[in-house]
Amino acid sequence: MQESSKKTKHIKILPPEGVTLQFNLATIPSRFLALIFDMFVISLSVFVMILALVALFVGGSLFGGSGGYILSFWLISLFLLRQCYFFFFELVWQGSTPGKRLLGLRVIAKDGRPLGLQALIARNLMRDIEIFIPLALVGQGFNMGHEQLWLSWIGLGWTILAIGFPFFHPQSMRFGDVIGGTFVIEVPKAQLLADKARSTTHARQATINFTPEQLSIYGEYELETLAQVLRKVDDHKADIDDLRVISRTIAEKIRYQGSEPFSSPLLFLQLFYAAQRQALEQKLLWGQRKVNKYQKK
Amino acid sequence: METTNQHTAQPQAVPRSVLFRKERESSWQELEDIVAQVQRKSLSALDDHELHRLPILYREAINSLSVARATALDRSLIQYLEALCAQSYLVIYGSRRPARRMLWALFVAVPNQIRKSTRELFLATLFFALGITVAWSLTDRDPQWFHVFVNKQMSAGRTPWASTESLRNSLYHAQEDKSGLSVFASFLFTNNARVGMLAFSLGFLLGIPAALLLFYNGLVLGAFFSVFASRGLLVPFLGWLLPHGIPEIFAVLLCGGAGFLMGRALLLPERYRRTEALRNAGLKASLIVVGAIFLFAYAAIFEGFFRQLIVDDVMRFLLATLQILLLLWWFRIARRQEQRDLAAENFEMETNAA
């Protein structure tokens, strides 16, 4: 089925209400994409700053001012931009940066409580160490020539270690997440689909009464599959021939001998779905679960 | 089996979950709308009525989820409720205080955390002092050692072989024009801040990088001490150093202390698991590092813009005293705020108990 084929990891949080809630952890590629996007935004603003700076410098030298203040302003704002970008957005936007928001991600605290200031600081301080500083080290090593090449190797090794770490962590945390105690999750999206058992209830004029024996063959798995088929009809992804094949198969299996599977397969399937669900839910109330058709009793 | 079709007089049986959903659907929709509004804007965008309804609707949805999980055989319904509850949970339990109050909390939390980490700070001071003593005594014995501790760029002519006059000049006159110095100061700041952060984050290497950082900084300072002291310029040198050195050296010590905090968590996790201990220490240490970065920035501004303006020894020492007073004041406000918070917490607990 859909869920088992998609390998998303999730975490469980128990709110005070006592019903466990599930959150999907963000996948590593989507987190990486979000990082790339954020880096892009940072570089773009650096570029704009350079332009502004050049303009200022030209203007300043025209008026006889000195470039030194501008340069020092530049150095400090570059530092602030790189250090505070992630921190600022995660603080103000409830745990998401522009990149994360674009990909529908969000940082939450491990225990489900509000994301603390310390956690934010810790995870963003570590980001610098994980990626920026080792990469700077790599560059420095190459620039300084042969004797300093070992610096590059250390930097490269460190980066690989830091980037590889989430792949091995059971909850794909990076170093900063471990220290800050945070998870990055996918923001849950709630979409209520039409109830396939309800759409038949207004078509009351046509009903089929299935016998209890006919309704004791299939289980929850087959019921859910049928629901998916009926949703496909809504999306115009299943044609009448498919439905005919399915309804004929079902009729054969449950030994139903009316003409509906041939004359109006869609109606038959809808009625069968409603009846089957009613029967299974009725049994569920008595604590009897039938997972699939292979389960006996 | 034609007979089955004759019973059409009976109404078609409706699954219970259909009725269940029909009854509650409108309140889920209401919750969905409120949550969407919060996600688009913020909690403060809600009006009084919506704010009042939010927790009620959330509890209803949680309730529905738990019933649906047990009795409904409609996966799309359960998935919807799970997502809806998760969203609302984040809105209700995951929302933080406004950013402005958080910043004040940060301003206060930093000195309080430093006060609680005196042991690490003491250890950091020890390493720093060790560096100073080693470099001072070695350079005193043989000036050649100076080059081991201080590189050319940093010494800028202030070596054991410089004349006393030029050394004195370096304390009272700017080497370059002021604008050049401010560039140097901001460069110094970003550099210092990075090294400090490195000491923190490499703290999980058992605090060794932190110890090295402290020792190395001590060595540089000790070598300069030796040079100036040998010409009887120790007091003017201190006057030159202390006004910006007090915040800066304190920040270096803080970074080292933060590194030791992390190292200790890994070496001696006490009753915690190592990852837990590392996390606890990381949260504390990150506060200290933020304080250090702030102090580095402050020192750099001070160094870049004020140092060369004030050349009087007495004024310089007065400034140094002022720096100490400022630091003490910072700690004092933080302490007061903490006591106030504690008192409020106690009061709340007492009233709850009563």
Side-chain angles (χ1 to χ4, degrees):
Chain A
M1 257 182 267
Q2 255 186 341
E3 280 69 44
S4 51
S5 65
K6 251 201 315 186
K7 267 197 183 165
T8 45
K9 300 175 183 170
H10 31 239
I11 50 154
K12 288 193 169 115
I13 284 177
L14 184 66
E17 285 75 24
V19 178
T20 46
L21 294 177
Q22 247 183 28
F23 292 92
N24 285 345
L25 285 172
T27 57
I28 295 174
S30 64
R31 291 181 64 175
F32 191 67
L33 276 180
L35 178 69
I36 299 265
F37 182 79
D38 284 328
M39 302 265 276
F40 175 73
V41 172
I42 293 178
S43 344
L44 199 71
S45 21
V46 167
F47 182 68
V48 170
M49 266 175 58
I50 290 178
L51 285 186
L53 212 67
V54 167
L56 259 177
F57 196 77
V58 170
S61 58
L62 279 183
F63 295 111
S66 64
Y69 285 105
I70 296 170
L71 195 60
S72 64
F73 169 78
W74 152 255
L75 273 171
I76 287 180
S77 37
L78 199 66
F79 176 84
L80 285 182
L81 193 66
R82 239 201 29 218
Q83 297 307 321
C84 298
Y85 173 88
F86 291 96
F87 175 71
F88 173 80
F89 279 113
E90 283 175 8
L91 182 69
V92 176
W93 278 6
Q94 303 283 352
S96 62
T97 59
K100 287 199 182 72
R101 190 169 261 208
L102 194 75
L103 281 130
L105 310 181
R106 181 183 165 155
V107 184
I108 62 168
K110 210 172 169 182
D111 50 8
R113 283 193 294 198
L115 197 52
L117 200 59
Q118 300 182 21
L120 273 186
I121 295 171
R123 79 186 297 280
N124 286 316
L125 274 181
M126 289 302 286
R127 183 197 311 276
D128 208 57
I129 309 317
E130 280 173 65
I131 303 169
F132 294 130
I133 289 185
L135 285 183
L137 217 58
V138 172
Q140 209 174 343
F142 278 123
N143 278 342
M144 292 212 280
H146 270 298
E147 290 118 72
Q148 305 286 335
L149 215 57
W150 58 274
L151 266 180
S152 302
W153 288 114
I154 291 181
L156 205 64
W158 180 246
T159 318
I160 289 170
L161 199 70
I163 291 177
F165 187 77
F167 286 95
F168 294 96
H169 194 280
Q171 275 110 26
S172 8
M173 286 164 127
R174 62 176 179 85
F175 285 142
D177 287 323
V178 175
I179 302 287
T182 52
F183 284 127
V184 180
I185 55 153
E186 287 171 358
V187 177
K189 284 194 181 66
Q191 194 197 1
L192 187 52
L193 300 171
D195 194 335
K196 294 324 286 181
R198 191 190 294 182
S199 54
T200 57
T201 49
H202 62 78
R204 282 230 177 82
Q205 60 271 38
T207 47
I208 303 173
N209 282 332
F210 294 95
T211 63
E213 293 77 42
Q214 285 174 331
L215 295 176
S216 65
I217 290 169
Y218 287 117
E220 288 170 21
Y221 176 82
E222 290 78 20
L223 184 74
E224 195 50 47
T225 315
L226 183 54
Q228 281 172 14
V229 170
L230 292 174
R231 291 216 170 85
K232 269 188 190 159
V233 175
D234 287 351
D235 302 339
H236 305 288
K237 277 182 192 156
D239 62 11
I240 193 81
D241 290 330
D242 299 335
L243 295 180
R244 205 164 276 146
V245 171
I246 294 168
S247 55
R248 212 179 297 163
T249 315
I250 290 176
E252 223 164 84
K253 180 95 181 172
I254 67 170
R255 305 225 174 91
Y256 179 79
Q257 279 156 0
S259 60
E260 288 92 344
F262 306 95
S263 57
S264 49
L266 180 60
L267 184 69
F268 172 77
L269 287 180
Q270 283 172 340
L271 290 173
F272 178 68
Y273 175 72
Q276 180 72 75
R277 197 165 120 193
Q278 199 271 336
L280 285 174
E281 280 180 1
Q282 188 73 37
K283 278 192 182 160
L284 199 58
L285 284 184
W286 297 101
Q288 296 164 348
R289 202 155 217 159
K290 190 165 164 64
V291 177
N292 55 33
K293 62 183 173 186
Y294 302 112
Q295 186 182 337
K296 301 280 177 240
K297 267 293 155 188
Chain B
M1 279 279 190
E2 282 298 305
T3 45
T4 47
N5 281 352
Q6 250 104 68
H7 292 290
T8 43
Q10 283 176 14
Q12 171 90 31
V14 179
R16 274 160 197 280
S17 55
V18 173
L19 301 175
F20 170 80
R21 173 171 162 175
K22 222 187 227 169
E23 277 170 15
R24 291 163 178 75
E25 214 166 357
S26 63
S27 82
W28 300 340
Q29 188 58 50
E30 193 183 347
L31 179 61
E32 208 184 314
D33 291 341
I34 295 180
V35 168
Q37 205 178 330
V38 175
Q39 280 176 342
R40 242 180 304 124
K41 297 170 199 159
S42 73
L43 258 183
S44 51
L46 299 182
D47 62 32
D48 285 352
H49 176 68
E50 287 166 329
L51 218 48
H52 168 70
R53 292 284 290 160
L54 178 61
I56 298 171
L57 292 168
Y58 166 67
R59 283 194 197 108
E60 274 179 30
I62 283 270
N63 188 16
S64 303
L65 172 63
S66 114
V67 172
R69 270 182 187 158
T71 64
L73 290 180
D74 183 2
R75 180 165 307 127
S76 70
L77 174 70
I78 296 176
Q79 278 173 348
Y80 166 75
L81 282 174
E82 270 177 351
L84 181 65
C85 290
Q87 275 181 349
S88 331
Y89 172 81
L90 287 181
V91 165
I92 291 172
Y93 290 101
S95 287
R96 263 192 328 259
R97 290 183 289 170
R100 200 153 47 92
R101 267 204 278 166
M102 300 272 287
L103 288 182
W104 169 252
L106 178 67
F107 181 73
V108 172
V110 167
N112 286 334
Q113 188 52 57
I114 295 172
R115 208 155 29 77
K116 283 171 200 149
S117 323
T118 30
R119 261 191 300 178
E120 284 75 17
L121 216 56
F122 180 72
L123 192 63
T125 318
L126 215 64
F127 273 100
F128 190 65
L130 191 70
I132 293 181
T133 347
V134 166
W136 196 336
S137 55
L138 281 178
T139 317
D140 262 357
R141 204 164 299 165
D142 179 3
Q144 285 297 337
W145 277 101
F146 183 84
H147 285 305
V148 178
F149 304 134
V150 185
N151 63 24
K152 269 209 185 80
Q153 203 184 348
M154 203 186 277
S155 68
R158 298 170 288 177
T159 61
W161 301 276
S163 68
T164 309
E165 203 45 45
S166 73
L167 282 179
R168 187 187 295 277
N169 271 342
S170 74
L171 294 181
Y172 294 106
H173 299 288
Q175 292 97 327
E176 300 156 58
D177 63 330
K178 275 173 204 141
S179 61
L181 236 140
S182 72
V183 173
F184 178 67
S186 41
F187 173 74
L188 211 62
F189 157 63
T190 50
N191 214 40
N192 278 342
R194 292 196 107 179
V195 172
M197 281 157 59
L198 208 61
F200 150 72
S201 47
L202 295 181
F204 53 81
L205 299 179
L206 308 182
I208 295 168
L212 287 178
L213 167 85
L214 290 162
F215 188 66
Y216 173 70
N217 271 287
L219 286 179
V220 173
L221 195 60
F224 277 121
F225 270 145
S226 158
V227 171
F228 284 95
S230 65
R231 310 297 171 86
L233 286 173
L234 188 59
V235 172
F237 179 68
L238 281 176
W240 173 86
L241 174 78
L242 286 182
H244 71 276
I246 283 171
E248 199 169 307
I249 291 170
F250 188 52
V252 170
L253 294 180
L254 287 182
C255 288
F260 287 141
L261 208 63
M262 303 278 281
R264 198 190 70 178
L266 214 59
L267 263 183
L268 310 164
E270 289 172 21
R271 65 199 160 85
Y272 298 102
R273 278 163 48 199
R274 280 213 157 68
T275 48
E276 270 172 43
L278 197 63
R279 189 194 147 200
N280 289 341
L283 292 181
K284 292 176 191 161
S286 62
L287 272 184
I288 298 181
V289 171
V290 167
I293 291 174
F294 176 73
L295 285 174
F296 276 134
Y298 174 71
I301 292 170
F302 205 83
E303 189 176 3
F305 299 103
F306 297 108
R307 188 176 70 190
Q308 302 299 334
L309 296 178
I310 297 156
V311 286
D312 185 49
D313 272 350
V314 181
M315 277 300 283
R316 280 177 170 179
F317 277 104
L318 273 177
L319 266 181
T321 326
L322 188 72
Q323 299 282 31
I324 293 177
L325 287 178
L326 270 178
L327 276 178
L328 287 177
W329 177 70
W330 188 22
F331 276 77
R332 196 179 136 88
I333 317 179
R335 181 88 194 243
R336 280 229 175 135
Q337 181 68 42
E338 192 185 45
Q339 280 166 346
R340 241 177 291 155
D341 290 347
L342 268 178
E345 213 169 276
N346 283 340
F347 178 73
E348 210 167 275
M349 271 165 64
E350 273 163 28
T351 45
N352 279 350

